Amino acid sequence: MDSLNLDQLRAFLDVVALGSFSAAAERRNLTQPAVSLQVRQLERRLGVSLIERVGRKARPTSAGAELMAHAGRIDAAVSAALDAMARHATGAVGRVRLGTGATACIFLLPPILRDLRRRFPSLELTVSAGNTAEVVKAVEDNVIDLALVTLPASGRALAITPVLDDEFVAIAPPAMALPERLTPQTVAALPVLLYEPGGNTRRIVDDWFARGGAGLKPVMSLGSVEAIKELVGAGLGCAVLPSMAVRNAPDREIFQVRSLSPQLHRRLAVVIRQDKPLYRGLKETVDALLAIGDIGAQ
């Protein structure tokens, strides 16, 4: 039982996942020397080298890669033990690790998470953001417990449940002249800002333009929906965004918000491993996410 230190193992996994000791130190709220020491101690305990530098990136050695293959099962066993003990503690409902996209994290989840915290003060919730491929892989590897992602998503070991259709809309500064119908051709003729490539949200928008025979070259691609909104508000162009990003009344006063023609939607789904034990905290979180569709219909 004393042959493996979990803090050292997590430090190693963070270095590999982020590609550097400094980034891992920032994630763990430690100094870089402290993270380096944890990894060296783990290497000494196991008697192997776990990390090598390839250029400026930290990569796992063959031994490190094999250890990573066991890490998901180790973390699952630890999580199961913690959740089992939480059921014996008065009022404790365990730990839940949730992954989602940046837009849903900012504009959809806050009231849901607030309600969970109100009902279950002892629930430990951690939320990480990423694109669908990254988040779904984290579910498969048991790095996180469940996810709310933009479809498509797939995995033989996964249960994938659609919960919400979210319309895409065009937003523009008040002074921008917009055509009567916002088709792929007419929107492509405007200065357009889009979310950065790589995720399903951008891919869905790109496909809409392609189906309409429009060759779009956005004037800017950004990794933040809030940054896009700020630049649209400054008059740099229009944007195509999920409607949840501009559903608040102040946004409707700042921007022109118009539907596309033909309309465009994305579908959000809850993703969890089929073999995942649903302890109380996780079950309550899953139920809250599955109810998103009911909330959106109101």
Side-chain angles (χ1 to χ4, degrees):
M1 292 293 290
D2 62 352
S3 62
L4 194 61
N5 181 292
L6 293 178
D7 286 336
Q8 295 170 1
L9 178 61
R10 291 193 177 104
F12 158 70
L13 294 173
D14 282 345
V15 171
V16 172
L18 299 173
S20 76
F21 286 82
S22 59
E26 183 176 350
R27 170 181 283 185
R28 298 180 63 76
N29 293 318
L30 297 172
T31 64
Q32 181 174 334
V35 171
S36 298
L37 177 61
Q38 287 181 322
V39 174
R40 286 199 304 272
Q41 289 173 333
L42 181 61
E43 290 176 327
R44 284 199 297 268
R45 177 60 63 92
L46 299 178
V48 295
S49 175
L50 296 172
I51 290 177
E52 60 186 2
R53 289 195 175 277
V54 179
R56 300 180 64 181
K57 299 281 286 185
R59 303 288 190 187
T61 63
S62 58
E66 189 165 349
L67 178 60
M68 290 174 65
H70 293 280
R73 293 190 294 274
I74 294 170
D75 194 66
V78 171
S79 294
L82 291 174
D83 283 342
M85 294 304 100
R87 296 198 307 275
H88 293 278
T90 302
V93 289
R95 176 184 65 162
V96 176
R97 302 161 300 174
L98 169 65
T100 190
T103 306
C105 186
I106 297 171
F107 300 105
L108 181 62
L109 287 183
I112 296 169
L113 300 180
R114 182 175 61 245
D115 183 64
L116 283 169
R117 288 290 296 157
R118 178 187 61 79
R119 293 189 293 125
F120 308 104
S122 299
L123 178 62
E124 180 186 348
L125 277 166
T126 61
V127 182
S128 56
N131 64 40
T132 293
E134 295 167 343
V135 173
V136 168
K137 186 177 188 306
V139 173
E140 288 182 307
D141 295 343
N142 208 45
V143 175
I144 60 176
D145 300 306
L146 78 164
L148 178 68
V149 300
T150 301
L151 294 177
S154 62
R156 288 183 297 177
L158 302 176
I160 300 172
T161 308
V163 292
L164 179 69
D165 285 336
D166 184 27
E167 182 186 3
F168 282 89
V169 294
I171 70 169
M176 177 177 281
L178 294 177
E180 182 177 347
R181 294 180 66 243
L182 294 176
T183 67
Q185 294 283 352
T186 60
V187 176
L190 302 170
V192 180
L193 294 83
L194 291 180
Y195 198 74
E196 65 184 359
N200 281 355
T201 297
R202 172 62 184 270
R203 192 173 298 113
I204 290 169
V205 174
D206 286 344
D207 288 347
W208 181 78
F209 282 103
R211 289 195 303 272
L216 176 67
K217 292 185 178 179
V219 296
M220 216 175 293
S221 296
L222 299 100
S224 163
V225 172
E226 284 297 295
I228 293 173
K229 290 168 62 177
E230 286 293 328
L231 294 177
V232 171
L236 272 70
C238 63
V240 177
L241 294 177
S243 62
M244 69 172 63
V246 287
R247 66 182 179 184
N248 293 329
D251 288 329
R252 299 281 170 157
E253 295 174 359
I254 296 171
F255 304 113
Q256 299 183 68
V257 180
R258 298 264 302 277
S259 292
L260 302 173
S261 180
Q263 287 191 340
L264 180 64
H265 294 80
R266 65 172 183 164
R267 177 165 287 188
L268 301 184
V270 174
V271 180
I272 191 169
R273 287 181 61 99
Q274 294 178 13
D275 60 358
K276 189 74 175 177
L278 289 181
Y279 300 116
R280 186 182 178 192
L282 181 56
K283 183 180 186 304
E284 294 288 350
T285 306
V286 170
D287 289 345
L289 294 180
L290 292 178
I292 286 175
D294 297 333
I295 296 172
Q298 294 175 359

PDB file of all heavy atoms in Angstrom, residues 8 30 80 127 208 222 243 264 288:
ATOM      1  N   GLN A   8       2.015  12.161  -6.113  1.00  0.00           N
ATOM      2  CA  GLN A   8       3.102  12.061  -7.084  1.00  0.00           C
ATOM      3  C   GLN A   8       2.584  11.558  -8.425  1.00  0.00           C
ATOM      4  O   GLN A   8       2.997  12.056  -9.486  1.00  0.00           O
ATOM      5  CB  GLN A   8       4.188  11.123  -6.544  1.00  0.00           C
ATOM      6  CG  GLN A   8       4.888  11.639  -5.298  1.00  0.00           C
ATOM      7  CD  GLN A   8       5.772  10.596  -4.648  1.00  0.00           C
ATOM      8  OE1 GLN A   8       5.886   9.473  -5.142  1.00  0.00           O
ATOM      9  NE2 GLN A   8       6.400  10.952  -3.528  1.00  0.00           N
ATOM     10  N   LEU A  30       1.043  24.697  -7.190  1.00  0.00           N
ATOM     11  CA  LEU A  30       2.325  24.421  -6.558  1.00  0.00           C
ATOM     12  C   LEU A  30       3.418  25.164  -7.316  1.00  0.00           C
ATOM     13  O   LEU A  30       3.190  25.707  -8.399  1.00  0.00           O
ATOM     14  CB  LEU A  30       2.627  22.915  -6.569  1.00  0.00           C
ATOM     15  CG  LEU A  30       1.675  22.006  -5.779  1.00  0.00           C
ATOM     16  CD1 LEU A  30       2.014  20.542  -6.057  1.00  0.00           C
ATOM     17  CD2 LEU A  30       1.768  22.293  -4.278  1.00  0.00           C
ATOM     18  N   ALA A  80     -13.977   5.400  -6.179  1.00  0.00           N
ATOM     19  CA  ALA A  80     -14.984   4.497  -5.625  1.00  0.00           C
ATOM     20  C   ALA A  80     -14.845   4.395  -4.111  1.00  0.00           C
ATOM     21  O   ALA A  80     -15.844   4.384  -3.379  1.00  0.00           O
ATOM     22  CB  ALA A  80     -14.864   3.119  -6.271  1.00  0.00           C
ATOM     23  N   VAL A 127     -15.191  21.261 -12.477  1.00  0.00           N
ATOM     24  CA  VAL A 127     -15.626  21.417 -13.869  1.00  0.00           C
ATOM     25  C   VAL A 127     -14.415  21.784 -14.721  1.00  0.00           C
ATOM     26  O   VAL A 127     -13.669  22.707 -14.395  1.00  0.00           O
ATOM     27  CB  VAL A 127     -16.706  22.505 -14.008  1.00  0.00           C
ATOM     28  CG1 VAL A 127     -17.178  22.602 -15.460  1.00  0.00           C
ATOM     29  CG2 VAL A 127     -17.883  22.206 -13.083  1.00  0.00           C
ATOM     30  N   TRP A 208     -22.483  24.333 -42.335  1.00  0.00           N
ATOM     31  CA  TRP A 208     -23.651  25.122 -42.779  1.00  0.00           C
ATOM     32  C   TRP A 208     -23.265  26.014 -43.960  1.00  0.00           C
ATOM     33  O   TRP A 208     -23.989  26.085 -44.961  1.00  0.00           O
ATOM     34  CB  TRP A 208     -24.171  25.952 -41.614  1.00  0.00           C
ATOM     35  CG  TRP A 208     -25.378  26.793 -41.916  1.00  0.00           C
ATOM     36  CD1 TRP A 208     -26.673  26.366 -42.009  1.00  0.00           C
ATOM     37  CD2 TRP A 208     -25.400  28.206 -42.146  1.00  0.00           C
ATOM     38  NE1 TRP A 208     -27.504  27.429 -42.276  1.00  0.00           N
ATOM     39  CE2 TRP A 208     -26.757  28.582 -42.370  1.00  0.00           C
ATOM     40  CE3 TRP A 208     -24.418  29.192 -42.170  1.00  0.00           C
ATOM     41  CZ2 TRP A 208     -27.137  29.885 -42.623  1.00  0.00           C
ATOM     42  CZ3 TRP A 208     -24.798  30.496 -42.420  1.00  0.00           C
ATOM     43  CH2 TRP A 208     -26.140  30.841 -42.652  1.00  0.00           C
ATOM     44  N   LEU A 222     -11.486  33.080 -32.787  1.00  0.00           N
ATOM     45  CA  LEU A 222     -11.072  33.243 -31.399  1.00  0.00           C
ATOM     46  C   LEU A 222     -11.506  32.047 -30.560  1.00  0.00           C
ATOM     47  O   LEU A 222     -12.467  31.355 -30.897  1.00  0.00           O
ATOM     48  CB  LEU A 222     -11.662  34.528 -30.799  1.00  0.00           C
ATOM     49  CG  LEU A 222     -11.254  35.830 -31.486  1.00  0.00           C
ATOM     50  CD1 LEU A 222     -12.355  36.303 -32.408  1.00  0.00           C
ATOM     51  CD2 LEU A 222     -10.928  36.909 -30.469  1.00  0.00           C
ATOM     52  N   SER A 243     -27.199  30.248 -29.471  1.00  0.00           N
ATOM     53  CA  SER A 243     -28.120  31.256 -28.922  1.00  0.00           C
ATOM     54  C   SER A 243     -27.993  31.383 -27.413  1.00  0.00           C
ATOM     55  O   SER A 243     -28.287  32.456 -26.863  1.00  0.00           O
ATOM     56  CB  SER A 243     -29.560  30.909 -29.305  1.00  0.00           C
ATOM     57  OG  SER A 243     -29.936  29.646 -28.760  1.00  0.00           O
ATOM     58  N   LEU A 264     -30.088  26.716 -38.071  1.00  0.00           N
ATOM     59  CA  LEU A 264     -28.984  25.823 -37.729  1.00  0.00           C
ATOM     60  C   LEU A 264     -29.028  25.552 -36.230  1.00  0.00           C
ATOM     61  O   LEU A 264     -29.226  26.476 -35.435  1.00  0.00           O
ATOM     62  CB  LEU A 264     -27.644  26.458 -38.112  1.00  0.00           C
ATOM     63  CG  LEU A 264     -26.385  25.644 -37.809  1.00  0.00           C
ATOM     64  CD1 LEU A 264     -26.356  24.355 -38.626  1.00  0.00           C
ATOM     65  CD2 LEU A 264     -25.137  26.476 -38.089  1.00  0.00           C
ATOM     66  N   ALA A 288     -29.666  16.185 -12.880  1.00  0.00           N
ATOM     67  CA  ALA A 288     -29.795  17.619 -13.129  1.00  0.00           C
ATOM     68  C   ALA A 288     -29.474  17.952 -14.589  1.00  0.00           C
ATOM     69  O   ALA A 288     -30.149  18.785 -15.209  1.00  0.00           O
ATOM     70  CB  ALA A 288     -28.867  18.391 -12.202  1.00  0.00           C
TER      71      ALA A 288
END
